[in-house]
Amino acid sequence: MTFGHDEIERTVRPAVRAEEAVRPAMAGLSAWRRLERIGLYVLMTFLMLFTLIPFVWMFSSAFRPVPEIFEYIYPLSWKTFFPVNFTAANFQKLLFSEGTEWPRYIFNTLFVAGVTVVLGGLVNAMAAYAFARIRFPGRELLFVLTLLTVVIPFEAIALPLYLVVKQIGWLDSYQALIVPGLANAFNIFLLRQFFLGIPRELEEAAIIDGASRFRIFFQVIIPLSWPALISVGLITFQASWDAFIWPLIVTSSPSVRVLQIAISNLAGQDAVYWNELFAGVALAAAVPIILFLIFQRYYTRGISTTGLKG
């Protein structure tokens, strides 16, 4: 069966007309989407600048002499964000002057944060695995009670926690800074959701081969969960690195003093050492920023692949 020119014309012409009628609307929609995208880019750029400007000014102030720190705040110019008389004397005085204990403070903070990340990651991962894979009476109720601790403000438990630490003789020690921060309900929830996405067939195959729960956890689950573990590690590190209230409560001697307490001591009642203060704040901010930039893709992957499975 063959079609003549008239039959083809009658078949194709309505479709062409329909396309011609839709084309202006599609062009208008495409122009609106371009306009919407440009507006989104402008908004994101504004928010980025709004967020970065204080950080740029802070880091630049860390390399200024004291008289210059507040000299070029207003009106805004390039001198506001770039030191005119660049100097590293602030860091030198803070870290290498005679009698300074700042290297000790930095070590204390790194040690506490590092140990909290390692031990806390193990504790939270084991708890999350139990909630995700092991069936036991009251599991769901216990998981809900664990999640409820997220909404309890730290100030509400600070005093009871202090009394417990004092009773067991841990005041002014590394244990007081590390142990209370190991278990974290949010990290447990995050890891549990990630573990639920791992196929059960892998565990069943390991069980058939005679593997125990601990062996399955360390040789099957952990190697598949590095994105989630790195995400939890970054969250834990930042929380421990930025901790102020709890270290202020349970420590008093310089031997276990952490960075945030040392920074607060630079602003006293009689004087504020602005040059050293900005240098200390720059040091405190640089470490988590560098870590996040290094592990950013793992953090993004860990968060994005953590679903909301029940």
Side-chain angles (χ1 to χ4, degrees):
M1 183 177 182
T2 58
F3 293 94
H5 182 271
D6 294 339
E7 286 80 1
I8 295 176
E9 184 72 18
R10 285 194 299 270
T11 304
V12 174
R13 178 57 61 182
V16 173
R17 290 175 179 172
E19 182 180 352
E20 291 176 349
V22 171
R23 190 175 299 163
M26 294 297 294
L29 183 61
S30 178
W32 171 253
R33 286 180 177 174
R34 284 197 297 268
L35 204 64
E36 186 180 33
R37 183 174 298 178
I38 292 173
L40 182 60
Y41 286 157
V42 171
L43 177 62
M44 292 175 63
T45 302
F46 174 78
L47 293 176
M48 181 190 69
L49 293 176
F50 185 78
T51 304
L52 289 180
I53 283 175
F55 282 95
V56 174
W57 182 76
M58 176 196 70
F59 280 108
S60 68
S61 298
F63 295 95
R64 300 176 189 264
V66 177
E68 189 186 318
I69 291 178
F70 299 104
E71 184 177 357
Y72 301 107
I73 292 181
Y74 184 83
L76 293 179
S77 65
W78 68 269
K79 296 180 181 179
T80 307
F81 305 106
F82 297 95
V84 177
N85 300 303
F86 185 90
T87 178
N90 301 332
F91 292 95
Q92 184 176 359
K93 184 177 180 180
L94 200 68
L95 299 174
F96 305 110
S97 62
E98 185 178 355
T100 182
E101 296 193 51
W102 268 73
R104 177 73 183 186
Y105 303 153
I106 296 174
F107 168 78
N108 290 340
T109 313
L110 284 172
F111 177 76
V112 171
V115 174
T116 303
V117 167
V118 175
L119 296 183
L122 180 62
V123 169
N124 294 321
M126 294 179 72
Y129 179 71
F131 284 129
R133 288 292 197 255
I134 301 176
R135 297 188 178 277
F136 55 88
R139 182 183 69 170
E140 301 302 325
L141 176 61
L142 184 59
F143 181 64
V144 171
L145 292 176
T146 301
L147 289 183
L148 287 177
T149 62
V150 175
V151 301
I152 300 176
F154 176 76
E155 291 77 8
I157 64 172
L159 181 58
L161 192 59
Y162 170 81
L163 294 176
V164 171
V165 170
K166 181 180 179 181
Q167 189 66 29
I168 58 181
W170 279 2
L171 287 181
D172 216 24
S173 67
Y174 287 124
Q175 300 95 300
L177 296 172
I178 295 172
V179 175
L182 294 182
N184 184 284
F186 177 75
N187 291 343
I188 292 173
F189 170 77
L190 197 68
L191 290 171
R192 173 186 177 270
Q193 301 308 113
F194 190 90
F195 292 162
L196 288 174
I198 297 177
R200 287 184 176 271
E201 290 77 9
L202 298 175
E203 295 178 75
E204 293 171 357
I207 291 173
I208 293 174
D209 291 339
S212 63
R213 281 288 184 185
F214 279 100
R215 187 176 177 185
I216 292 172
F217 176 73
F218 286 106
Q219 296 187 2
V220 177
I221 300 298
I222 293 298
L224 295 174
S225 306
W226 282 116
L229 290 172
I230 290 175
S231 300
V232 167
L234 286 175
I235 295 172
T236 304
F237 183 90
Q238 183 176 1
S240 179
W241 182 267
D242 293 338
F244 175 77
I245 296 179
W246 181 244
L248 181 65
I249 294 174
V250 296
T251 61
S252 57
S253 65
S255 61
V256 290
R257 184 172 297 162
V258 295
L259 202 57
Q260 305 301 332
I261 306 299
I263 291 173
S264 69
N265 290 339
L266 293 173
Q269 294 181 350
D270 300 326
V272 179
Y273 303 96
W274 289 109
N275 54 338
E276 298 178 37
L277 182 63
F278 278 109
V281 171
L283 284 174
V287 173
I289 290 174
I290 292 172
L291 284 177
F292 181 80
L293 291 176
I294 293 174
F295 297 105
Q296 179 182 6
R297 60 173 182 161
Y298 299 103
Y299 177 80
T300 305
R301 190 189 310 169
I303 295 297
S304 62
T305 54
T306 301
L308 297 176
K309 304 176 182 63

